[in-house]
Amino acid sequence: MGPGPVNADPRVLRAMSAQLVGQFDPWMTATMNETMALYREVFRTANDATLLIDGTSRAGIEAALVSLLEPGDRVLVPVLGRFGHLLREIAERCGADVHVIETPWGTVFDEEQLADAVRRVRPKVLATVQGDTSTTMCQPLSQIGAVCRELGVLTYVDVTASLAGNAFAMDDWQLDVATAGLQKCLGGPSGSAPISLSDAAVDVVNGRRHVEAGIRESGDDDRGERIRSNYLDLAMILDYWGPRRLNHHTEATTMLYGARECARLLVEEGMDAAVERHRLHGSAMTAGVRALGLVLFGDQAHTMNNVVAVEIPDGVDGDAARAQMLTDFGIEIGTSFGPLHGRVWRIGTMGWNARRDAVLTTLAALEQVLRAAGTSPAPRAGVAAAQEVYA
Amino acid sequence: MGPGPVNADPRVLRAMSAQLVGQFDPWMTATMNETMALYREVFRTANDATLLIDGTSRAGIEAALVSLLEPGDRVLVPVLGRFGHLLREIAERCGADVHVIETPWGTVFDEEQLADAVRRVRPKVLATVQGDTSTTMCQPLSQIGAVCRELGVLTYVDVTASLAGNAFAMDDWQLDVATAGLQKCLGGPSGSAPISLSDAAVDVVNGRRHVEAGIRESGDDDRGERIRSNYLDLAMILDYWGPRRLNHHTEATTMLYGARECARLLVEEGMDAAVERHRLHGSAMTAGVRALGLVLFGDQAHTMNNVVAVEIPDGVDGDAARAQMLTDFGIEIGTSFGPLHGRVWRIGTMGWNARRDAVLTTLAALEQVLRAAGTSPAPRAGVAAAQEVYA
């Protein structure tokens, strides 16, 4: 019940024990195409270029940034927590000219602030997170895409922590690139990063296309500045997932099976229903922890549905309490990074854990641990408050 | 029965359906440590820095090269097939000063040739493949490490295609960095890249250590030229796998389970026994295809045990024959890349497929397909020749 990675949906794990087939087997390429179609629904996009990066969510972020940003390109990064710092750090390593705006941890930017910064900096790319798990904040992003399109600025959004647990509409919001991971609301293990790119983003990436020696054919002329990474070169990865099926990496088939199953389950449920499920169980958890006397952290008007942060009560050893939750009840909850390390606990309700029994069991255990640590929550208050939300 | 990826050992797939635990759960970190110890046995090394990169074997290659090579650093790449070209291409993207020596596809370098080139070029790193699946050649490497150590040259070896199917002794051969994948002789799926680094290599990598903003502590001063990739930054990945457990990527737990099981099975079998198994079944397959009248490709004194290449007979449509093998018999065999595309078939006997029934069934099917394609192999010749090897 931490902020992710979380335990996976058993149906996803079962799909991952299926036997492998060759990477150019007709069934395999059909399965890759099916997975692309499923993730279009998950991202709510018609983007043809919707596929998987073989690595963790961080690999997806780096694939997007290293493929879009040439050395010297200007990028604007709004930082609302640790994962904004990560975008900055990756963009710096790409050699980009990185401009940062910051908001205190526990708050988000007003979209008008973002628009002002975009107009001032005039970046090639605006790169931001939607949900920053380090603070639990969910950055509003429904308006900024249109502003950026008007100015010819590409938008990149890291939706790893938020996708499927919070509203996200790539095309309606006019966003160009989004990357995710399986290990949060998608209910799978880390290790595959779904990504989607608009046609405009694909044009930028393909403007830097350099086909590998040894598989290059006539007409495969080098274009533009070579992308600094081979493994995360989206131009090459698009050729691998596209009709040419140009050999690149060896697709991580078991992760593909997992990613496909995550998306199948979500599409079967419906994306709106999945968001509503996260809202319901997140609300129940939030009501429960508040009723246990814990103080919520951050701007509650802008939290993600799938994770709540609470301040660790004075006099309570936060790490010892977390250890007791794990050892005595088999339940993991998290602390956070940087300025929030040891100051807050983060409790997730995401993916397979966005379930009534998971929420109520966690609250029952937390009441025990808080009482053992010397605080005095009203008996049964947490569970009762959550049950009221369910009622 | 292609050159890899191949179908996985069912025991590995079963291990991969296990439920996940949190990335800093004591059981998880103990499992990471256990996996490191197992891969020390697989690589035959005492290197403390033996771990997994979360990506395909290509991610392992790039992690090694981008972390070792600064822009302008000289690197020597002996090219014996497509995967030598890949090393060159990745090194170029790292900004290195890349020097290449080439040998015709189907041959290897004499180690004295390598030593001469190292003395002439005086690179920071000698980067080579051991087994190049594109040609099936296995580059001898038992002597070059000592030469390089004397000259202060680091050695990097890609053993993706060869490890566990052919002799490899990292420490005895005095090699500094090696990377692999699971999808060949290790009997698992693509998506995790075991890597091992000598202390000297770790020193080079840690000389470029830049801890990420947000998790940086006092004393974490930046050192040297920043590594161009965040995701594949070995200094950060070593901190994640090491005692500090500094947060980096979210470990791909299911792939870790798979990688651990691959190594457990090999260590249980014994590395010598695993190589001998590949030698036996590879010999049987080679005898079989030769008895079917097929001409072997390449210098037969230096082939890998786990894959054989044969010339496609004149008048036979190689792709149609491969399609028939797959459609009618459910058996995949491969062609190759570049100059060998459509000129050879490659047939693997690796990992879970290094088995008597797999070899004999493939030969029986191949006889049918060759005959249907208009050639006249002696009836039962392939199977009989392989059975003789087994006898």
Side-chain angles (χ1 to χ4, degrees):
Chain A
M1 302 298 284
V6 295
N7 40 319
D9 190 313
R11 293 169 292 184
V12 173
L13 296 175
R14 211 154 52 219
M16 294 180 76
S17 66
Q19 187 49 280
L20 316 179
V21 296
Q23 59 181 336
F24 299 108
D25 187 292
W27 185 84
M28 177 68 176
T29 51
T31 300
M32 291 172 75
N33 289 343
E34 183 196 344
T35 304
M36 295 173 89
L38 285 164
Y39 275 96
R40 288 186 195 108
E41 297 198 50
V42 172
F43 283 117
R44 294 183 185 262
T45 182
N47 289 337
D48 189 51
T50 303
L51 42 93
L52 305 176
I53 303 296
D54 280 3
T56 73
S57 42
R58 184 178 287 236
I61 298 170
E62 188 161 319
L65 295 183
V66 78
S67 299
L68 291 174
L69 295 172
E70 301 182 22
D73 277 346
R74 204 175 301 154
V75 58
L76 173 64
V77 181
V79 173
L80 46 143
R82 180 186 167 203
F83 293 96
H85 283 299
L86 178 61
L87 298 189
R88 176 175 72 173
E89 134 101 27
I90 292 174
E92 284 171 3
R93 295 200 190 211
C94 298
D97 173 21
V98 186
H99 295 247
V100 167
I101 53 174
E102 294 199 53
T103 188
W105 287 37
T107 70
V108 298
F109 295 93
D110 187 278
E111 281 197 86
E112 206 36 62
Q113 279 178 277
L114 295 185
D116 287 345
V118 168
R119 286 189 201 100
R120 180 169 48 77
V121 175
R122 287 295 187 118
K124 177 180 182 182
V125 177
L126 168 69
T128 184
V129 298
Q130 180 183 29
D132 200 310
T133 30
S134 67
T135 69
T136 76
M137 292 298 108
C138 191
Q139 173 62 48
L141 291 172
S142 61
Q143 308 301 318
I144 190 66
V147 175
C148 287
R149 290 244 164 124
E150 207 164 291
L151 297 168
V153 173
L154 290 171
T155 48
Y156 161 73
V157 185
D158 171 13
V159 296
T160 303
S162 54
L163 187 67
N166 305 270
F168 182 73
M170 188 156 185
D171 286 1
D172 284 355
W173 296 359
Q174 303 187 49
L175 302 170
D176 289 299
V177 184
T179 66
L182 307 185
Q183 73 274 18
K184 309 273 185 180
C185 302
L186 275 67
S190 171
S192 177
I195 184 173
S196 184
L197 297 94
S198 69
D199 291 347
V202 169
D203 284 346
V204 169
V205 165
N206 277 339
R208 304 177 66 187
R209 189 165 170 278
H210 291 239
V211 174
E212 216 168 279
I215 56 170
R216 176 186 284 262
E217 293 173 12
S218 66
D220 284 340
D221 299 327
D222 289 344
R223 296 185 208 145
E225 169 101 9
R226 203 176 198 180
I227 293 168
R228 278 186 169 190
S229 171
N230 170 298
Y231 187 63
L232 301 172
D233 178 327
L234 284 174
M236 290 165 70
I237 295 170
L238 285 167
D239 273 340
Y240 177 67
W241 283 79
R244 277 186 77 185
R245 299 270 172 217
L246 272 189
N247 195 260
H248 181 248
H249 62 285
T250 298
E251 183 57 16
T253 310
T254 302
M255 289 309 309
L256 173 80
Y257 293 167
R260 180 175 71 143
E261 191 66 13
C262 289
R264 274 158 54 120
L265 293 170
L266 283 170
V267 168
E268 185 183 282
E269 177 181 17
M271 294 307 295
D272 286 335
V275 171
E276 172 54 23
R277 170 169 53 87
H278 283 90
R279 194 206 56 74
L280 173 68
H281 297 291
S283 301
M285 182 66 86
T286 300
V289 292
R290 179 182 278 165
L292 285 172
L294 297 171
V295 176
L296 304 177
F297 170 81
D299 171 7
Q300 292 302 303
H302 293 103
T303 55
M304 284 188 279
N305 288 324
N306 48 300
V307 57
V308 61
V310 294
E311 294 180 14
I312 299 168
D314 284 343
V316 172
D317 178 338
D319 284 349
R322 289 199 303 128
Q324 203 193 341
M325 285 289 287
L326 186 63
T327 308
D328 288 356
F329 301 96
I331 296 171
E332 181 186 277
I333 64 172
T335 177
S336 188
F337 303 100
L340 297 181
H341 183 82
R343 213 188 114 197
V344 302
W345 289 318
R346 291 179 301 157
I347 306 176
T349 42
M350 60 184 85
W352 176 245
N353 289 351
R355 290 194 334 268
R356 183 177 174 127
D357 63 301
V359 169
L360 297 183
T361 305
T362 301
L363 289 168
L366 192 58
E367 180 185 330
Q368 300 297 320
V369 170
L370 283 171
R371 190 164 290 275
T375 75
S376 307
R380 218 185 78 78
V383 167
Q387 283 170 327
E388 208 162 294
V389 170
Y390 290 124
Chain B
M1 302 300 284
V6 296
N7 40 319
D9 190 314
R11 293 168 292 184
V12 174
L13 295 175
R14 211 155 53 221
M16 296 181 76
S17 66
Q19 188 49 279
L20 315 179
V21 296
Q23 61 180 334
F24 298 109
D25 186 292
W27 185 84
M28 176 69 176
T29 51
T31 300
M32 290 170 76
N33 289 343
E34 184 197 343
T35 304
M36 295 172 89
L38 286 164
Y39 275 97
R40 288 186 196 108
E41 298 198 52
V42 172
F43 283 117
R44 295 183 186 260
T45 182
N47 290 336
D48 189 51
T50 303
L51 42 92
L52 305 176
I53 303 296
D54 281 3
T56 74
S57 41
R58 184 178 287 239
I61 298 170
E62 187 161 320
L65 295 183
V66 78
S67 299
L68 292 174
L69 295 172
E70 301 182 21
D73 277 346
R74 205 175 302 154
V75 58
L76 173 64
V77 181
V79 172
L80 47 143
R82 180 188 166 202
F83 292 96
H85 283 299
L86 178 61
L87 298 189
R88 175 174 73 172
E89 134 101 28
I90 292 174
E92 284 171 2
R93 295 199 191 212
C94 297
D97 173 20
V98 185
H99 295 248
V100 166
I101 53 173
E102 295 197 53
T103 188
W105 287 38
T107 70
V108 298
F109 295 93
D110 188 277
E111 281 197 85
E112 208 35 63
Q113 279 178 278
L114 294 185
D116 287 344
V118 168
R119 287 190 201 100
R120 179 169 49 76
V121 175
R122 286 296 186 117
K124 178 180 183 182
V125 177
L126 168 69
T128 184
V129 298
Q130 181 184 27
D132 199 310
T133 30
S134 66
T135 69
T136 75
M137 292 297 106
C138 191
Q139 173 61 48
L141 291 171
S142 61
Q143 308 301 318
I144 189 67
V147 175
C148 286
R149 288 244 165 124
E150 208 163 292
L151 297 169
V153 173
L154 291 171
T155 47
Y156 161 74
V157 185
D158 171 13
V159 296
T160 303
S162 53
L163 187 66
N166 305 270
F168 182 73
M170 187 157 186
D171 286 0
D172 285 354
W173 296 359
Q174 303 186 49
L175 302 169
D176 288 299
V177 184
T179 65
L182 307 185
Q183 74 273 18
K184 309 271 187 180
C185 302
L186 275 66
S190 173
S192 177
I195 185 172
S196 184
L197 297 93
S198 69
D199 290 348
V202 169
D203 284 347
V204 169
V205 165
N206 277 338
R208 304 177 65 187
R209 188 165 171 277
H210 291 239
V211 175
E212 215 169 280
I215 57 170
R216 178 185 282 262
E217 291 173 11
S218 66
D220 283 340
D221 299 327
D222 290 343
R223 297 185 208 145
E225 169 101 10
R226 202 176 199 179
I227 292 168
R228 278 186 170 189
S229 172
N230 170 299
Y231 187 63
L232 300 171
D233 178 327
L234 283 174
M236 291 166 69
I237 295 169
L238 285 167
D239 273 341
Y240 177 67
W241 282 79
R244 280 186 75 184
R245 299 273 172 214
L246 272 189
N247 194 262
H248 181 247
H249 61 286
T250 298
E251 183 56 17
T253 309
T254 302
M255 288 309 310
L256 173 81
Y257 292 166
R260 180 175 72 143
E261 190 66 14
C262 289
R264 274 159 54 122
L265 293 171
L266 283 170
V267 168
E268 187 183 283
E269 177 180 17
M271 293 308 295
D272 286 334
V275 171
E276 172 55 23
R277 170 169 52 88
H278 283 89
R279 194 204 57 73
L280 173 67
H281 297 292
S283 301
M285 182 65 87
T286 299
V289 292
R290 179 182 278 167
L292 285 173
L294 298 171
V295 176
L296 303 178
F297 170 80
D299 171 7
Q300 292 302 303
H302 293 103
T303 55
M304 284 189 278
N305 289 324
N306 48 300
V307 59
V308 61
V310 293
E311 294 179 15
I312 299 168
D314 284 343
V316 172
D317 178 337
D319 284 349
R322 290 200 302 128
Q324 202 193 342
M325 285 290 286
L326 185 64
T327 307
D328 288 356
F329 301 96
I331 295 172
E332 182 187 275
I333 65 172
T335 179
S336 188
F337 302 100
L340 297 181
H341 183 82
R343 212 188 113 197
V344 303
W345 289 318
R346 293 179 300 157
I347 306 177
T349 43
M350 62 184 83
W352 175 245
N353 289 350
R355 289 194 335 269
R356 183 177 175 126
D357 63 301
V359 169
L360 297 182
T361 305
T362 301
L363 289 167
L366 192 58
E367 180 185 331
Q368 300 298 320
V369 170
L370 283 170
R371 190 164 290 274
T375 74
S376 306
R380 217 184 80 78
V383 167
Q387 282 170 328
E388 208 161 292
V389 171
Y390 290 125

